[in-house]
């Protein structure tokens, strides 16, 4: 409740700041924090809300709808419990990490099956390792475990390549293999989800590093 109050308070202050800025007839002192909040209110950037529990996710969605803003839900651990509600309100989800212990109440319902439910209900999501909570090199393992728990293999690959770029709004630079993008590529000795695969080559912006 306190977090929801502070979030609404911040948006109300940003609306007041916007009004003063638009109606200023002379010098106006900028507040750079509020300038960033204006980008959220004007839908230039989404707000990222860290939420594990289903009730917190629902609260975040209510606030996003209340202020008509774009939002990305980060973690979404308990999303599987409210999948119908999420299907009605399709905010993107950065899912994970899913391998660390259920050390707090927010993570009790953590499961690799969540990815399948999100995919089946056409909810845009990507998979995160939440580095350095768990190291980034486990990301492929997370995608592999999601496949083992029912996620389509191609969707799992997209969830660590194409979909993250789309959710971050950088799909014009990364996330796909096509002309004009940054050409960040990894070549493997076998299927990326194989336990026996090894990285063969790495290219960053078309430059071979390995």
């Amino acid at each position: 409740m306190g977090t929801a109050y502070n979030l609404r308070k911040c948006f109300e202050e940003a609306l007041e700041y916007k009004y003063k800025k638009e109606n200023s007839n002379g010098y106006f002192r900028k507040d750079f924090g509020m300038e960033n909040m204006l980008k959220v209110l004007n839908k230039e950037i989404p707000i990222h809300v860290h939420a594990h529990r289903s009730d917190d996710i629902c609260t975040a969605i209510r606030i996003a709808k209340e202020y008509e803003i774009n939002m990305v839900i980060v973690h979404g651990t308990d999303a599987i419990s409210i999948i119908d509600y999420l299907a009605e309100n399709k905010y993107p989800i950065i899912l994970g990490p899913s391998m660390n212990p259920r050390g707090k109440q927010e993570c009790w319902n953590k499961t690799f099956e969540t990815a399948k439910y999100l995919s089946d209900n056409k909810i845009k999501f990507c998979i995160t390792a939440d580095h350095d909570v768990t190291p980034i090199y486990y990301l492929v393992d997370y995608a592999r475990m999601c496949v083992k728990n029912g996620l389509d293999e191609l969707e799992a690959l997209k969830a660590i390549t194409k979909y993250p770029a789309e959710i971050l709004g950088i799909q014009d630079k990364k996330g796909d293999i096509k002309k004009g993008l940054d050409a960040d590529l990894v070549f493997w000795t076998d299927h990326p989800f194989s336990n026996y695969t090894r990285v063969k080559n790495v290219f960053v912006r078309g430059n071979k590093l390995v």
Side-chain angles (χ1 to χ4, degrees), residues 37-46 64 67-70:
M37 293 309 298
L38 287 188
K39 291 182 179 180
V40 174
L41 290 174
N42 294 333
K43 294 187 177 182
E44 297 174 38
I45 59 174
Y67 289 93
E68 298 181 349
I69 58 174
N70 294 328

Side-chain angles (χ1 to χ4, degrees), residues 112 115 125 127 136-163 186-199:
F112 282 106
F125 77 98
I127 299 169
I136 188 65
Y137 50 73
Y138 284 127
L139 186 62
V140 174
D141 295 308
Y142 285 1
R144 180 191 301 128
M145 290 300 295
C146 289
V147 172
K148 184 178 179 181
N149 284 269
L151 180 64
D152 176 77
E153 187 177 279
L154 181 58
E155 286 298 297
L157 286 169
K158 289 180 179 179
I160 56 174
T161 54
K162 182 180 178 66
Y163 295 156
V186 179
F187 292 84
W188 305 79
T189 58
D190 202 334
H191 193 291
F193 294 160
S194 168
N195 287 325
Y196 304 101
T197 192
R198 295 290 183 271
V199 173

Side-chain angles (χ1 to χ4, degrees), residues 32-174:
F32 292 104
M34 284 297 150
E35 288 292 325
N36 288 329
M37 293 309 298
L38 287 188
K39 291 182 179 180
V40 174
L41 290 174
N42 294 333
K43 294 187 177 182
E44 297 174 38
I45 59 174
I47 188 171
H48 283 206
V49 175
H50 288 230
H52 287 276
R53 287 187 346 204
S54 58
D55 56 336
D56 290 331
I57 296 171
C58 291
T59 297
I61 290 174
R62 286 197 303 272
I63 293 174
K65 293 170 70 175
E66 181 179 336
Y67 289 93
E68 298 181 349
I69 58 174
N70 294 328
M71 177 181 68
V72 176
I73 299 167
V74 181
H75 300 312
T77 307
D78 202 18
I80 198 169
S81 301
I82 51 168
I83 198 69
D84 291 341
Y85 185 66
L86 291 172
E88 295 173 6
N89 302 277
K90 286 184 167 59
Y91 291 93
I93 296 177
I94 299 176
L95 183 65
S98 302
M99 196 180 290
N100 52 330
R102 297 179 177 91
K104 52 186 177 180
Q105 181 192 357
E106 287 88 342
C107 297
W108 284 353
N109 289 331
K110 182 184 298 185
T111 171
F112 282 106
E113 291 182 26
T114 302
K116 168 183 165 48
Y117 282 86
L118 293 174
S119 179
D120 288 349
N121 285 273
K122 311 300 182 185
I123 300 164
K124 178 64 67 69
F125 77 98
C126 64
I127 299 169
T128 181
D130 202 24
H131 187 86
D132 57 351
V133 174
T134 55
I136 188 65
Y137 50 73
Y138 284 127
L139 186 62
V140 174
D141 295 308
Y142 285 1
R144 180 191 301 128
M145 290 300 295
C146 289
V147 172
K148 184 178 179 181
N149 284 269
L151 180 64
D152 176 77
E153 187 177 279
L154 181 58
E155 286 298 297
L157 286 169
K158 289 180 179 179
I160 56 174
T161 54
K162 182 180 178 66
Y163 295 156
E166 292 176 353
I167 291 173
L168 291 172
I170 57 172
Q171 64 271 20
D172 60 331
K173 298 180 178 66
K174 300 183 183 296

